[in-house]
Amino acid sequence: MPPLSFPCPDPSSRVYTGPTPLAPDAVGLFATTAASAGEQLLSIQRPLLTIPSTDFLDDRCQSTHWKTQHKQACPVFARLHPRKLPTPVRAVIHLLILQFHGLTSSERWTELLRRSSHIEHFRKSGGERWEAICLMSKAAKEYSGTEQGEELLRELYCYVSINSLTLTSPTFDPLGMCFDPFVACANHSCAPNAVIVFDGPRLCLRSLRAISKDEEVTISYVDCTNSFRVRQRELRDRYFFRCECAKCALGPTLREDEVAPDTTVSDVATLEDESVGLLEMAKSIPGCQDAIEALNDAVVILRAWPWPWYRQPLASHVQCLSALCLEAKQWENALAWLILVRSEIDPLLFPEPFHPVRVVHQWTLLKLLIHVSSLIHSSPSSSSSSSSPHPSPPTQHLSPSFRALHVDFPLLIPALFGTLASQVPRSHGPDSRFGKMVREKNEEIQRDLRGRGPVGEVWKDAELVEREWGRLKGWADRKILQMG
C-alpha cells in the first residue's frame, strides 16, 4: 500500500508529509526549509472541520463556511433546536455531509479513511467509553440520514476523537473542535518544536525553536508540563501509545518530577491524582467563591509537602485561581497569583519568552495592572463619599494597604507592555487578531507617554522598572502567604 499523502491546503506551507521513524507505516510533518524560533510554518485559513461549541464562531465564520458546512448542516441541526448534539457527533455529521455533497474530493475521502482510527483499541478497552462511541454513532446515523453502516460511523467517530484538536481563542479559551487531516499528520513529542495557535477559525503552526530543513515538526497532544507519569498515562489512555521522545527517554528525572527528597513515589502519585481531582471538581463548582476556597485548600496541602510552584498540578491550580479571582473581581488576589505565574511558574514551564501561553498570561497580567492602576488613581473621595447617592464602587475592591504601596504603575506598565509587544510577532504573528489587539493597546500607551513629555521616557530606565517590579513582587509574596 502506498504511503499516506494528504494535500496541504496552504500554498505557502513550510511543511510536508513523509514517513516518520516514530512508528512503522506512519507519516509525520517535516520542514521544507530551515526555520528560526517563532516563525509561521503553516497557516490553514479553512481547516476541513471547525465545530464550535456554539452554532458558529461569528458572522464571518458562518459566511466563510456557508457553502462547505453551514448550508447543508443547519437543516439537520435545526430539527434538534434547542437541543444540541455532542460536538464529536456533529463533527461526524459534518464529515458525512462533506462526502455526500461532494464538498471533499473522493481521493481526500479515501486517504482520510486510510488513517488509523484506533477503533480496535477503543473496542478492546470496552466499558463506558465504547458504549458511548456506539451510542454516538447511532445518533450520527439517525440525524444525518446517511446510508453508511454503523461500523463506518463508529470508525469515523474514533478517527475524529483521536485526531481532532481543541478549537481555542487566541488566548486559549476553549471554543469547540477542529479537525484537518493534514494537520493530523503532526506527531507528538513531550518536548515539541512547534505549537498550534488559532486566529479566529484560522489554524497556525508556529515554531518554538530553530528547526532544520527536513527535521520532523512535532506538537504536544497533552500538557507537556505534567509529570512523566501523568503524561505517559494520558497518552496511553487517550491515544494508545507509549511516548519514547527524547524527554521521556530520561524518565522521571526532570524538573516536572521534582518533589521533596523524603517523599515516596507512591505518596507523590496519590497526592498528584487527588489534586487533579480537586482541580476538576473546582472547575465544575457553580459559585466562584466555593471553587476558590476548594483550590486554596488544595494549594495549602501541596505546599506543605513542599510542592514546587512550577510542578503540576500546582501550577494549574494557581492559574485557575487567578482566573476565578478575576471573575469574582477579587483584584488583589488575582494580581498576586498572576505575579506568581509570571515570576516563578512560566519561566520554568515555558522557557521561550515568546511561547504563546506565556505571552497570553503576560497579557492578562497587564490588563489587570491597567485596571488596578485606574482604581488606584481614582479619587478616594468619590468612592467613599456618603453624600453621593451613587458612590463609585470599584475602589472598595482594593485595600488601603495596597493603595499605600505607591507602586509607580505609569512607569511599570509601559515597560512590561514594551516587552510583551516585542514577543507577540513570534508568539501569534504580527498580523494576527491578537497581535493587532496588543499593538493597538501599546500604541495607546505610547501616545499617552509622549503627551507627558520627558517624564514619559522614565519607563526606559531598567533599574527603576526593576525596583517597582520588586516592590510589587514582594507584596504578592506576602499576599500569597496570607491567603495560605
PDB file of all heavy atoms in Angstrom, residues 446-467:
ATOM      1  N   GLN A 446       1.778  54.417  24.357  1.00  0.00           N
ATOM      2  CA  GLN A 446       2.886  55.245  23.894  1.00  0.00           C
ATOM      3  C   GLN A 446       2.428  56.672  23.585  1.00  0.00           C
ATOM      4  O   GLN A 446       3.166  57.632  23.848  1.00  0.00           O
ATOM      5  CB  GLN A 446       3.527  54.620  22.655  1.00  0.00           C
ATOM      6  CG  GLN A 446       4.215  53.284  22.904  1.00  0.00           C
ATOM      7  CD  GLN A 446       5.297  53.368  23.970  1.00  0.00           C
ATOM      8  OE1 GLN A 446       6.066  54.324  24.032  1.00  0.00           O
ATOM      9  NE2 GLN A 446       5.339  52.357  24.837  1.00  0.00           N
ATOM     10  N   ARG A 447       1.228  56.836  23.040  1.00  0.00           N
ATOM     11  CA  ARG A 447       0.699  58.187  22.790  1.00  0.00           C
ATOM     12  C   ARG A 447       0.542  58.952  24.096  1.00  0.00           C
ATOM     13  O   ARG A 447       0.862  60.136  24.186  1.00  0.00           O
ATOM     14  CB  ARG A 447      -0.656  58.104  22.063  1.00  0.00           C
ATOM     15  CG  ARG A 447      -0.551  57.800  20.592  1.00  0.00           C
ATOM     16  CD  ARG A 447      -1.871  58.095  19.884  1.00  0.00           C
ATOM     17  NE  ARG A 447      -2.976  57.324  20.426  1.00  0.00           N
ATOM     18  CZ  ARG A 447      -3.320  56.115  19.993  1.00  0.00           C
ATOM     19  NH1 ARG A 447      -2.623  55.545  19.017  1.00  0.00           N
ATOM     20  NH2 ARG A 447      -4.346  55.487  20.518  1.00  0.00           N
ATOM     21  N   ASP A 448       0.045  58.247  25.111  1.00  0.00           N
ATOM     22  CA  ASP A 448      -0.116  58.880  26.421  1.00  0.00           C
ATOM     23  C   ASP A 448       1.241  59.302  26.987  1.00  0.00           C
ATOM     24  O   ASP A 448       1.377  60.389  27.564  1.00  0.00           O
ATOM     25  CB  ASP A 448      -0.816  57.915  27.390  1.00  0.00           C
ATOM     26  CG  ASP A 448      -0.966  58.493  28.777  1.00  0.00           C
ATOM     27  OD1 ASP A 448      -1.669  59.503  28.919  1.00  0.00           O
ATOM     28  OD2 ASP A 448      -0.360  57.939  29.720  1.00  0.00           O
ATOM     29  N   LEU A 449       2.267  58.463  26.811  1.00  0.00           N
ATOM     30  CA  LEU A 449       3.598  58.790  27.315  1.00  0.00           C
ATOM     31  C   LEU A 449       4.183  59.996  26.587  1.00  0.00           C
ATOM     32  O   LEU A 449       4.802  60.867  27.207  1.00  0.00           O
ATOM     33  CB  LEU A 449       4.528  57.586  27.156  1.00  0.00           C
ATOM     34  CG  LEU A 449       4.274  56.397  28.093  1.00  0.00           C
ATOM     35  CD1 LEU A 449       5.140  55.223  27.680  1.00  0.00           C
ATOM     36  CD2 LEU A 449       4.541  56.773  29.537  1.00  0.00           C
ATOM     37  N   ARG A 450       3.993  60.063  25.261  1.00  0.00           N
ATOM     38  CA  ARG A 450       4.518  61.199  24.503  1.00  0.00           C
ATOM     39  C   ARG A 450       3.884  62.505  24.946  1.00  0.00           C
ATOM     40  O   ARG A 450       4.516  63.559  24.953  1.00  0.00           O
ATOM     41  CB  ARG A 450       4.298  60.977  23.006  1.00  0.00           C
ATOM     42  CG  ARG A 450       5.232  59.934  22.404  1.00  0.00           C
ATOM     43  CD  ARG A 450       5.185  59.980  20.882  1.00  0.00           C
ATOM     44  NE  ARG A 450       3.899  59.559  20.352  1.00  0.00           N
ATOM     45  CZ  ARG A 450       3.584  58.310  20.046  1.00  0.00           C
ATOM     46  NH1 ARG A 450       4.456  57.334  20.225  1.00  0.00           N
ATOM     47  NH2 ARG A 450       2.389  58.013  19.559  1.00  0.00           N
ATOM     48  N   GLY A 451       2.616  62.405  25.361  1.00  0.00           N
ATOM     49  CA  GLY A 451       1.930  63.600  25.831  1.00  0.00           C
ATOM     50  C   GLY A 451       2.435  64.097  27.172  1.00  0.00           C
ATOM     51  O   GLY A 451       2.162  65.236  27.564  1.00  0.00           O
ATOM     52  N   ARG A 452       3.190  63.240  27.866  1.00  0.00           N
ATOM     53  CA  ARG A 452       3.703  63.634  29.180  1.00  0.00           C
ATOM     54  C   ARG A 452       5.099  64.236  29.094  1.00  0.00           C
ATOM     55  O   ARG A 452       5.706  64.566  30.113  1.00  0.00           O
ATOM     56  CB  ARG A 452       3.722  62.419  30.107  1.00  0.00           C
ATOM     57  CG  ARG A 452       2.320  61.890  30.423  1.00  0.00           C
ATOM     58  CD  ARG A 452       2.374  60.506  31.038  1.00  0.00           C
ATOM     59  NE  ARG A 452       3.118  60.501  32.283  1.00  0.00           N
ATOM     60  CZ  ARG A 452       3.494  59.403  32.918  1.00  0.00           C
ATOM     61  NH1 ARG A 452       3.216  58.220  32.386  1.00  0.00           N
ATOM     62  NH2 ARG A 452       4.161  59.475  34.059  1.00  0.00           N
ATOM     63  N   GLY A 453       5.651  64.338  27.881  1.00  0.00           N
ATOM     64  CA  GLY A 453       6.957  64.969  27.719  1.00  0.00           C
ATOM     65  C   GLY A 453       8.084  64.107  28.243  1.00  0.00           C
ATOM     66  O   GLY A 453       8.007  62.867  28.226  1.00  0.00           O
ATOM     67  N   PRO A 454       9.171  64.721  28.747  1.00  0.00           N
ATOM     68  CA  PRO A 454      10.342  63.972  29.236  1.00  0.00           C
ATOM     69  C   PRO A 454      10.012  62.965  30.325  1.00  0.00           C
ATOM     70  O   PRO A 454      10.653  61.921  30.432  1.00  0.00           O
ATOM     71  CB  PRO A 454      11.270  65.074  29.762  1.00  0.00           C
ATOM     72  CG  PRO A 454      10.845  66.304  29.031  1.00  0.00           C
ATOM     73  CD  PRO A 454       9.368  66.173  28.824  1.00  0.00           C
ATOM     74  N   VAL A 455       8.988  63.260  31.141  1.00  0.00           N
ATOM     75  CA  VAL A 455       8.608  62.329  32.212  1.00  0.00           C
ATOM     76  C   VAL A 455       8.178  60.988  31.631  1.00  0.00           C
ATOM     77  O   VAL A 455       8.363  59.929  32.231  1.00  0.00           O
ATOM     78  CB  VAL A 455       7.459  62.932  33.068  1.00  0.00           C
ATOM     79  CG1 VAL A 455       7.020  61.952  34.144  1.00  0.00           C
ATOM     80  CG2 VAL A 455       7.909  64.249  33.695  1.00  0.00           C
ATOM     81  N   GLY A 456       7.594  61.034  30.424  1.00  0.00           N
ATOM     82  CA  GLY A 456       7.121  59.813  29.790  1.00  0.00           C
ATOM     83  C   GLY A 456       8.218  58.880  29.330  1.00  0.00           C
ATOM     84  O   GLY A 456       7.945  57.765  28.894  1.00  0.00           O
ATOM     85  N   GLU A 457       9.488  59.291  29.402  1.00  0.00           N
ATOM     86  CA  GLU A 457      10.605  58.458  28.985  1.00  0.00           C
ATOM     87  C   GLU A 457      11.222  57.674  30.136  1.00  0.00           C
ATOM     88  O   GLU A 457      12.111  56.853  29.923  1.00  0.00           O
ATOM     89  CB  GLU A 457      11.689  59.331  28.340  1.00  0.00           C
ATOM     90  CG  GLU A 457      11.238  60.034  27.055  1.00  0.00           C
ATOM     91  CD  GLU A 457      10.945  59.051  25.940  1.00  0.00           C
ATOM     92  OE1 GLU A 457      11.829  58.231  25.636  1.00  0.00           O
ATOM     93  OE2 GLU A 457       9.826  59.087  25.394  1.00  0.00           O
ATOM     94  N   VAL A 458      10.739  57.929  31.366  1.00  0.00           N
ATOM     95  CA  VAL A 458      11.348  57.312  32.546  1.00  0.00           C
ATOM     96  C   VAL A 458      11.229  55.791  32.511  1.00  0.00           C
ATOM     97  O   VAL A 458      12.088  55.069  33.028  1.00  0.00           O
ATOM     98  CB  VAL A 458      10.713  57.889  33.835  1.00  0.00           C
ATOM     99  CG1 VAL A 458      11.281  57.212  35.070  1.00  0.00           C
ATOM    100  CG2 VAL A 458      10.932  59.396  33.909  1.00  0.00           C
ATOM    101  N   TRP A 459      10.167  55.265  31.870  1.00  0.00           N
ATOM    102  CA  TRP A 459       9.927  53.819  31.859  1.00  0.00           C
ATOM    103  C   TRP A 459      11.058  53.049  31.188  1.00  0.00           C
ATOM    104  O   TRP A 459      11.186  51.833  31.364  1.00  0.00           O
ATOM    105  CB  TRP A 459       8.601  53.492  31.169  1.00  0.00           C
ATOM    106  CG  TRP A 459       8.573  53.794  29.711  1.00  0.00           C
ATOM    107  CD1 TRP A 459       8.249  54.979  29.122  1.00  0.00           C
ATOM    108  CD2 TRP A 459       8.882  52.902  28.646  1.00  0.00           C
ATOM    109  NE1 TRP A 459       8.329  54.889  27.765  1.00  0.00           N
ATOM    110  CE2 TRP A 459       8.710  53.622  27.426  1.00  0.00           C
ATOM    111  CE3 TRP A 459       9.277  51.568  28.581  1.00  0.00           C
ATOM    112  CZ2 TRP A 459       8.936  53.047  26.189  1.00  0.00           C
ATOM    113  CZ3 TRP A 459       9.496  50.995  27.344  1.00  0.00           C
ATOM    114  CH2 TRP A 459       9.327  51.724  26.166  1.00  0.00           C
ATOM    115  N   LYS A 460      11.902  53.751  30.419  1.00  0.00           N
ATOM    116  CA  LYS A 460      13.014  53.086  29.744  1.00  0.00           C
ATOM    117  C   LYS A 460      14.191  52.828  30.687  1.00  0.00           C
ATOM    118  O   LYS A 460      15.151  52.160  30.289  1.00  0.00           O
ATOM    119  CB  LYS A 460      13.471  53.925  28.553  1.00  0.00           C
ATOM    120  CG  LYS A 460      12.406  54.075  27.471  1.00  0.00           C
ATOM    121  CD  LYS A 460      12.898  54.926  26.314  1.00  0.00           C
ATOM    122  CE  LYS A 460      11.819  55.068  25.248  1.00  0.00           C
ATOM    123  NZ  LYS A 460      12.258  55.927  24.119  1.00  0.00           N
ATOM    124  N   ASP A 461      14.125  53.347  31.903  1.00  0.00           N
ATOM    125  CA  ASP A 461      15.185  53.143  32.886  1.00  0.00           C
ATOM    126  C   ASP A 461      15.003  51.757  33.519  1.00  0.00           C
ATOM    127  O   ASP A 461      14.123  51.564  34.365  1.00  0.00           O
ATOM    128  CB  ASP A 461      15.138  54.238  33.947  1.00  0.00           C
ATOM    129  CG  ASP A 461      16.337  54.207  34.889  1.00  0.00           C
ATOM    130  OD1 ASP A 461      16.779  53.090  35.236  1.00  0.00           O
ATOM    131  OD2 ASP A 461      16.810  55.280  35.284  1.00  0.00           O
ATOM    132  N   ALA A 462      15.798  50.783  33.109  1.00  0.00           N
ATOM    133  CA  ALA A 462      15.632  49.397  33.559  1.00  0.00           C
ATOM    134  C   ALA A 462      15.763  49.260  35.067  1.00  0.00           C
ATOM    135  O   ALA A 462      15.067  48.444  35.697  1.00  0.00           O
ATOM    136  CB  ALA A 462      16.657  48.505  32.859  1.00  0.00           C
ATOM    137  N   GLU A 463      16.638  50.047  35.666  1.00  0.00           N
ATOM    138  CA  GLU A 463      16.842  49.950  37.111  1.00  0.00           C
ATOM    139  C   GLU A 463      15.603  50.393  37.876  1.00  0.00           C
ATOM    140  O   GLU A 463      15.198  49.750  38.856  1.00  0.00           O
ATOM    141  CB  GLU A 463      18.044  50.816  37.515  1.00  0.00           C
ATOM    142  CG  GLU A 463      18.454  50.638  38.979  1.00  0.00           C
ATOM    143  CD  GLU A 463      19.713  51.411  39.319  1.00  0.00           C
ATOM    144  OE1 GLU A 463      20.512  51.700  38.397  1.00  0.00           O
ATOM    145  OE2 GLU A 463      19.891  51.721  40.512  1.00  0.00           O
ATOM    146  N   LEU A 464      14.972  51.487  37.426  1.00  0.00           N
ATOM    147  CA  LEU A 464      13.747  51.954  38.075  1.00  0.00           C
ATOM    148  C   LEU A 464      12.612  50.937  37.901  1.00  0.00           C
ATOM    149  O   LEU A 464      11.836  50.690  38.824  1.00  0.00           O
ATOM    150  CB  LEU A 464      13.328  53.308  37.495  1.00  0.00           C
ATOM    151  CG  LEU A 464      14.207  54.506  37.860  1.00  0.00           C
ATOM    152  CD1 LEU A 464      13.697  55.761  37.168  1.00  0.00           C
ATOM    153  CD2 LEU A 464      14.248  54.707  39.370  1.00  0.00           C
ATOM    154  N   VAL A 465      12.522  50.366  36.699  1.00  0.00           N
ATOM    155  CA  VAL A 465      11.472  49.370  36.435  1.00  0.00           C
ATOM    156  C   VAL A 465      11.658  48.158  37.345  1.00  0.00           C
ATOM    157  O   VAL A 465      10.695  47.651  37.937  1.00  0.00           O
ATOM    158  CB  VAL A 465      11.498  48.944  34.955  1.00  0.00           C
ATOM    159  CG1 VAL A 465      10.559  47.758  34.716  1.00  0.00           C
ATOM    160  CG2 VAL A 465      11.115  50.109  34.056  1.00  0.00           C
ATOM    161  N   GLU A 466      12.886  47.696  37.474  1.00  0.00           N
ATOM    162  CA  GLU A 466      13.168  46.539  38.324  1.00  0.00           C
ATOM    163  C   GLU A 466      12.824  46.836  39.776  1.00  0.00           C
ATOM    164  O   GLU A 466      12.325  45.974  40.503  1.00  0.00           O
ATOM    165  CB  GLU A 466      14.645  46.161  38.194  1.00  0.00           C
ATOM    166  CG  GLU A 466      15.009  44.827  38.827  1.00  0.00           C
ATOM    167  CD  GLU A 466      14.276  43.656  38.193  1.00  0.00           C
ATOM    168  OE1 GLU A 466      13.992  43.716  36.979  1.00  0.00           O
ATOM    169  OE2 GLU A 466      13.984  42.682  38.930  1.00  0.00           O
ATOM    170  N   ARG A 467      13.070  48.069  40.201  1.00  0.00           N
ATOM    171  CA  ARG A 467      12.737  48.456  41.580  1.00  0.00           C
ATOM    172  C   ARG A 467      11.233  48.378  41.819  1.00  0.00           C
ATOM    173  O   ARG A 467      10.781  47.847  42.844  1.00  0.00           O
ATOM    174  CB  ARG A 467      13.228  49.884  41.834  1.00  0.00           C
ATOM    175  CG  ARG A 467      12.963  50.402  43.257  1.00  0.00           C
ATOM    176  CD  ARG A 467      13.068  51.910  43.309  1.00  0.00           C
ATOM    177  NE  ARG A 467      11.976  52.529  42.553  1.00  0.00           N
ATOM    178  CZ  ARG A 467      11.940  53.819  42.222  1.00  0.00           C
ATOM    179  NH1 ARG A 467      12.954  54.619  42.532  1.00  0.00           N
ATOM    180  NH2 ARG A 467      10.898  54.309  41.567  1.00  0.00           N
TER     181      ARG A 467
END
